[in-house]
Amino acid sequence: MSRSHSKPLPTSLRAAFEADKAHALARYRLNVERLAELMATTPATLYKWLETDAMPINRLAAWEHITRSDYVVRYLAAAAHKVVIDIPTGHAIQAADVQQLQTTLNAAVGALLDFHAGRLDRDGCIAAITGGLEVLAWHRENVRKNDQPELELN
């Protein structure tokens, strides 16, 4: 099933780390001490990385995997003027998926019109357009994988 909307994009690397950390705590009860243990480092080192926004790049994939959150990765991609999408598993879609796509794209066009009419701020417009890009790209990848469906293990 397609994604219905984009998660809000953090406004700084610090906010991205905090969002990932908060997600790990709220959803999986992983505090910094447990995150550090799973990343094979000390809590003091992890605290230092988070406080200075200086996590080594070779630890970032582990951070994303352990927190099960992608705010840092999405922030870094956006800073490089890229859009991140979840790759679908390649499965048959339902009519509701296509209707959700249409709703999301209509909302993106509406946001663009509202922005140019002065009724919507820049961040709101960008969020709506990004959501449209993500859901459309999701469907593109799903069509590309149509002849090689995968099991959904999540």
Side-chain angles (χ1 to χ4, degrees), residues 28-116:
Y28 304 103
R29 297 184 183 151
L30 297 174
N31 59 22
V32 171
E33 289 74 19
R34 182 68 177 131
L35 291 170
E37 180 183 338
L38 292 169
M39 291 183 69
T41 191
T42 66
T45 299
L46 184 54
Y47 275 116
K48 181 179 176 186
W49 291 344
L50 297 175
E51 289 172 10
T52 60
D53 303 328
M55 182 178 288
I57 194 71
N58 65 342
R59 298 295 185 108
L60 195 54
W63 172 258
E64 182 180 11
H65 178 73
I66 291 166
T67 62
R68 298 179 191 135
S69 185
D70 61 358
Y71 284 103
V72 171
V73 171
R74 290 177 55 251
Y75 173 80
L76 293 172
H81 308 288
K82 308 294 185 219
V83 175
V84 176
I85 62 163
D86 290 330
I87 301 297
T89 55
H91 66 277
I93 61 170
Q94 306 296 319
D97 296 325
V98 177
Q99 290 167 342
Q100 182 61 49
L101 168 65
Q102 185 174 14
T103 299
T104 303
L105 293 177
N106 285 340
V109 171
L112 189 58
L113 291 170
D114 286 346
F115 173 76
H116 287 295

